[in-house]
Amino acid sequence: MQPLRILIGFALVGWRALAGESLSTGVSLIQTKNSASLSVPMQIVVLLTLLTILPAVIMCLTPFLRITVVLHFLRQALGTQATPSNQVLIGLAMFLTLLIMQPVVTDMYHKGWEPLEDGKVTWQQAFDDGSQPLKAFLVHYVREKDVRLFLDISHTPAPQRPSDLGLTVLAPAYVLSELKTGFQIGAVLFLPFLVIDLVVASVTLSIGMVQLPPVMLSAPFKILLFVLVDGWNLVVGSLLRSFYPT
């Protein structure tokens, strides 16, 4: 039940913090002398709300976004249609995301949830402290141009330090930055396979094989090249290294 309490607790804090409500109401998920626990129906409602938002958070505010975009471009470049399947690619992206985000989530737990559970900080302070590791992660990979765009749109003054940016600005800016990076990597992956397609198409046209699609002939050569250079190891290794600061 401990992970369930953590998820429900941070969902309540995040929702009420965005709504601008006071968090000092005496209602808590932790059994203490001065606080009342939420009823079971209310816990179920909050949990279902969290589970509805959680997939969007995982897909947009983690490396899952860049990894899935790159893997999709790679499959298109290979011309293997639905191989590997979407389930395999999403599963691989999820495991890689867990590997990359594990230090961030652990830091969030130690800075946010543990002091709250010990009664050392309030809900508001726990949410602010717990979100700092996530903000630091987003700031590290977000582009200044994208941040400036959303600051101008929301008419928000630029903070003195990047760590002072709010999640309402960092989140969409991070999504745009990751989409740009993912498309850049995908374009680079396409180039060697595009050369193979052009060579095969030129050869088939020169010998008069106009009835046989060049894609059918180039696909084995692209797969063979990808296997010979150990492509999966190179692609996954490059993606993981791109998320670890040098």
Side-chain angles (χ1 to χ4, degrees), residues 190-241:
F190 251 104
L191 291 178
F193 301 109
L194 180 61
V195 172
I196 296 177
D197 287 333
L198 292 176
V199 172
V200 172
S202 300
V203 172
T204 55
L205 289 176
S206 63
I207 63 178
M209 298 177 61
V210 295
Q211 295 182 352
L212 185 63
V215 177
M216 295 183 61
L217 295 176
S218 63
F221 292 101
K222 292 190 289 186
I223 296 175
L224 180 61
L225 174 65
F226 190 72
V227 172
L228 289 177
V229 300
D230 199 3
W232 287 112
N233 184 279
L234 292 176
V235 172
V236 172
S238 300
L239 282 173
L240 289 177
R241 294 186 188 96

Side-chain angles (χ1 to χ4, degrees), residues 81-214:
Q81 303 300 324
T83 305
S85 63
N86 290 330
Q87 290 82 356
V88 173
L89 295 182
I90 292 176
L92 176 61
M94 183 62 67
F95 284 118
L96 296 179
T97 301
L98 291 175
L99 177 63
I100 297 171
M101 293 297 294
Q102 181 179 359
V104 178
V105 175
T106 303
D107 200 12
M108 293 174 63
Y109 174 78
H110 290 318
K111 290 185 176 180
W113 184 258
E114 283 187 345
L116 177 65
E117 196 171 27
D118 296 337
K120 299 178 180 178
V121 296
T122 61
W123 281 102
Q124 182 67 52
Q125 186 64 35
F127 179 77
D128 293 339
D129 294 341
S131 61
Q132 289 303 318
L134 179 61
K135 287 184 180 181
F137 175 83
L138 298 180
V139 167
H140 187 78
Y141 299 103
V142 76
R143 296 191 308 161
E144 182 180 354
K145 182 179 180 180
D146 295 327
V147 173
R148 191 181 302 110
L149 170 65
F150 289 102
L151 287 176
D152 294 339
I153 293 176
S154 60
H155 302 288
T156 303
Q160 296 181 354
R161 298 177 300 175
S163 58
D164 295 333
L165 289 169
L167 289 176
T168 53
V169 173
L170 276 177
Y174 175 81
V175 173
L176 290 186
S177 300
E178 288 298 285
L179 287 176
K180 177 180 175 59
T181 304
F183 272 72
Q184 288 176 336
I185 299 174
V188 174
L189 287 176
F190 251 104
L191 291 178
F193 301 109
L194 180 61
V195 172
I196 296 177
D197 287 333
L198 292 176
V199 172
V200 172
S202 300
V203 172
T204 55
L205 289 176
S206 63
I207 63 178
M209 298 177 61
V210 295
Q211 295 182 352
L212 185 63

